[in-house]
Each structure stands twice: as C-alpha cells, then as structure tokens.
C-alpha cells in the first residue's frame, strides 16, 4: 500500500446525479483518476465495483482513503441517493469523513477546470430537474476559481432575466436556458463532475468548510402525510 501525504488526502468521489455518472480518485499531489459510470439506469450497481477497480488501479485499497465525497444534487433523486449510500457506507465501515458537494458547485468547478475562463467571467450553472424546470445559480470567476453569487433557485427555462451576452452557461440545462441568446454553452460529463467533486470536496474539507453528506432537493416531496 502507498503511504499518503496527510496534507493532501486521498479522496474518493461519487457522482451519479445526472444522465451520465462518474467516479474520481484524487491522489496526493493533485492527480485525478476517473471512471465513467455509464448511463443512469446502470449506475447504482456499478458504484462500488468501479470504485474498487479505481483504487486497485492506483495501487491502493479502501484503507488508504482519507476522505469520501458525494455529489448531493439537485439532480436525479435515485442517483443522489445511490452516491450518498455508497459514500456513507464507506464512512460507516471505515470511519472516513464523508462530505457533500452541491451539483451546481461541481458544475462550476468542472467548467473552470476544463475551459480556463478569464477572471471576471460570469457563469450561470444549471441542472435539468425535469418537469420543464431547471435549478440554476450564478458564479463569478476569480483568481482562485469560481465564487458563488447566489443560492440554488428553481426556475422555468428562459423565464428569468437574461444575462449579458458572453455569459458562460454550464451544466446539463445549458442548452435549455435562453436559447435565443449569444452565450458560451458547456455541458460536463459525469467524469468531469466527479473530478470536480473530488477536488472541491477535498479543498473544502481541508479549509473546514465542507458541506454535509445530505441530499439537496430541487423541490419538496410530492407525497403528503395522510390526515385522519
């Protein structure tokens, strides 16, 4: 087994919130290994076997981990639950810290890593949550990465005020938002989101700012308790 640098913990990240899912392993030194989880209906059973293969490919085992992260949505409820179940199962079995990364935060950081937008750029990150609705939030690109400007908000595509031309629209709803505008549109893969979940989750944990491993839902539950 490899000896790990405690200042840069080995982080295993699960991301199954979208139509495509991914797993990522952040190694000491900052290198990221990743695997595609495939399409939504095959992700749940693939999570742990793919994670084991990823660890073995890096010459590591479950006991070498220092942190586990999960994309907590909003997104596919089944995917959110599957990723959280895997992360919390490892947390319970091995005592590793488990942290949650919001879907739009993972999109923002994945876009930043993939496209290197200029400082000062404005990003609208989004997730398609079905029923003709999207969740979106604004980010501004600073020297150290994207900074969130507002909370997640549930909207109907093109119903909110159109941002300035040149805004980066990132996420799996990027093609739905303001189709008539002139924007840079970028849609991440599950692997790109997973890598960002690993990096952002690890960095937030080291700073003491990591979010809880608990689901973020776009809307309230449809089911209501029976009265009487």
């Amino acid at each position: 087994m490899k000896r790990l640098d405690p200042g840069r913990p080995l982080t295993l990240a699960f991301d199954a919130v979208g139509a495509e899912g991914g797993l990522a392993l952040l190694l000491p030194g900052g290198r990221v290994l990743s695997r595609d989880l495939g399409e939504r209906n095959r992700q749940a059973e693939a999570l742990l076997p793919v994670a084991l293969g990823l660890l073995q490919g890096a010459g590591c085992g479950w006991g070498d981990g220092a942190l586990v992260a999960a994309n907590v949505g909003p997104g596919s409820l089944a995917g959110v639950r599957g990723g959280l179940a895997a992360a919390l199962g490892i947390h319970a079995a091995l005592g590793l810290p488990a942290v949650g990364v919001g879907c739009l935060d993972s999109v923002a950081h994945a876009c930043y890593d993939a496209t290197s937008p200029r400082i000062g750029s404005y990003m609208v990150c989004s997730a398609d949550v079905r029923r003709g609705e999207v969740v979106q939030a604004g980010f501004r690109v600073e020297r150290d990465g994207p900074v969130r400007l507002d909370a997640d908000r549930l909207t109907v595509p093109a119903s909110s005020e159109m941002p300035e031309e040149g805004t980066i629209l990132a996420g799996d709803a990027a093609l739905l938002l303001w189709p008539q505008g002139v924007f840079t549109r970028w849609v991440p893969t599950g692997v790109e989101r997973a890598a960002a979940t690993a990096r952002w989750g690890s960095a937030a944990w080291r700073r003491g700012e990591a979010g809880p491993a608990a689901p973020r839902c776009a809307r309230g539950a449809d089911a209501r308790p029976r009265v009487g």
Side-chain angles (χ1 to χ4, degrees):
M1 298 296 180
K2 297 183 177 180
R3 291 185 62 83
L4 302 176
D5 177 358
R8 298 187 64 88
L10 183 76
T11 299
L12 179 64
F14 297 87
D15 189 313
V17 304
E20 296 178 348
L23 282 176
L25 185 65
L26 175 63
L27 300 174
R31 183 181 173 212
V32 175
L33 304 179
S34 56
R35 295 289 184 275
D36 185 0
L37 277 177
E39 297 179 358
R40 180 173 285 145
N41 60 355
R42 300 191 334 228
Q43 291 174 11
E45 62 269 24
L47 283 166
L48 290 178
V50 173
L52 179 58
L54 194 59
L55 286 164
Q56 291 175 339
C60 303
W62 295 113
D64 291 317
L67 182 69
V68 60
N71 191 322
V72 295
S76 161
L77 181 57
V80 169
R81 288 186 303 196
L84 274 172
L88 292 175
I90 294 171
H91 162 72
L94 300 177
L96 302 183
V99 302
V101 175
C103 179
L104 301 190
D105 297 289
S106 73
V107 168
H109 286 270
C111 181
Y112 178 81
D113 291 341
T115 67
S116 300
R118 62 179 177 80
I119 295 173
S121 298
Y122 180 61
M123 303 168 61
V124 175
C125 297
S126 63
D128 183 357
V129 291
R130 312 247 181 127
R131 303 186 192 175
E133 295 176 313
V134 302
V135 173
Q136 65 185 71
F139 293 77
R140 184 179 59 250
V141 178
E142 301 290 359
R143 186 173 302 277
D144 295 328
V147 175
R148 179 182 276 268
L149 300 177
D150 50 27
D152 293 1
R153 58 192 184 277
L154 184 66
T155 65
V156 175
S159 66
S160 54
E161 183 178 352
M162 185 182 296
E164 294 183 3
E165 290 188 357
T167 294
I168 301 168
L169 304 184
D172 64 8
L175 303 179
L176 303 175
L177 292 168
W178 306 293
Q180 71 277 25
V182 179
F183 304 109
T184 299
R185 300 176 192 269
W186 183 81
V187 180
T189 65
V191 166
E192 288 170 321
R193 284 196 320 270
T197 296
R199 290 193 181 102
W200 178 241
S202 176
W205 181 69
R206 292 199 307 272
R207 295 193 304 266
E209 301 172 358
R216 294 187 189 177
C217 299
R219 57 179 74 87
D222 293 331
R224 295 290 184 269
R226 181 176 296 178
V227 178

